[in-house]
Amino acid sequence: MKFIVDSNVGRLARWLRIAGFDTLFINDLDDNRLVRLALAEGRVLLTKDTQILKRRLVTTGRLKVIFIEDIEVKAQLRQVVKTLNLSDKIKPFTLCLECNQPLVTRSKEEIEGLVPPYIFKTQTQYMQCPACQRIYWRGTHWERMRRELERIVGEL
Ligand SMILES: [Zn+2]
């Protein structure tokens, strides 16, 4: 399940990535290009734009669009997960939150010198984004987001 988010629900991209769903978000993409890209890459389009819903591609079912109702990002995530029945497909922290790339597991030796010393001392599991090189670990921030996800979508 892959997504593309319209700029009117841009914040949803980050939470979908946290949950492990491949999500494209490109700023300042006009509706035509947005729709074309969604179709070309087989992505479900998430939007608050009712005009998009009236397009032939959408009314004929060629392009799947979910009209996002809520203005609050966590409620939006809940809507997507519920609508598409995704709660057992959630894989937290498998994607880079910045560039949507699948994260690669790294050993402690590989990341030595690349994370703060106190992190290196206390954490054993690391992941890295092959695109931006950002390193992720299961620290307090990770734990907080995981709990938040759990709260949003129910049991994980
Ligand atoms: Zn990245």
Side-chain angles (χ1 to χ4, degrees), residues 50-134:
T50 49
Q51 292 306 313
I52 288 183
L53 297 174
K54 295 176 189 158
R55 289 181 176 235
R56 247 185 85 75
L57 275 174
V58 182
T59 57
T60 56
R62 276 188 69 201
L63 176 63
K64 185 154 178 65
V65 176
I66 296 178
F67 176 72
I68 300 296
E69 290 151 22
D70 216 283
I71 50 161
E72 203 265 319
V73 69
K74 286 161 194 172
Q76 295 175 345
L77 178 67
R78 194 180 299 121
Q79 186 197 344
V80 174
V81 169
K82 254 190 171 171
T83 304
L84 299 172
N85 210 5
L86 296 175
S87 54
D88 56 357
K89 297 196 170 58
I90 290 174
K91 289 194 209 95
F93 304 98
T94 49
L95 292 176
C96 179
L97 306 188
E98 305 303 325
C99 26
N100 197 40
Q101 290 288 318
L103 298 176
V104 179
T105 306
R106 294 281 185 238
S107 67
K108 221 173 144 87
E109 294 71 45
E110 286 174 300
I111 55 86
E112 186 165 16
L114 301 176
V115 295
Y118 72 95
I119 296 295
F120 187 77
K121 235 183 259 172
T122 53
Q123 300 296 320
T124 51
Q125 286 180 296
Y126 298 93
M127 258 117 56
Q128 189 172 29
C129 171
C132 70
Q133 313 300 320
R134 183 174 163 172

Side-chain angles (χ1 to χ4, degrees), residues 1 3-5 10-27 43 46 73 77 80-81 89-103 127 129 132 134 136 142 145 149:
M1 187 66 66
F3 299 98
I4 185 165
V5 300
R11 287 184 62 213
L12 189 51
R14 185 177 170 85
W15 276 96
L16 283 164
R17 287 173 188 166
I18 290 173
F21 297 111
D22 179 339
T23 305
L24 215 57
F25 171 48
I26 303 168
N27 236 330
R43 293 177 182 273
L46 308 174
V73 69
L77 178 67
V80 174
V81 169
K89 297 196 170 58
I90 290 174
K91 289 194 209 95
F93 304 98
T94 49
L95 292 176
C96 179
L97 306 188
E98 305 303 325
C99 26
N100 197 40
Q101 290 288 318
L103 298 176
M127 258 117 56
C129 171
C132 70
R134 183 174 163 172
Y136 293 81
W142 190 95
M145 285 205 279
L149 258 186

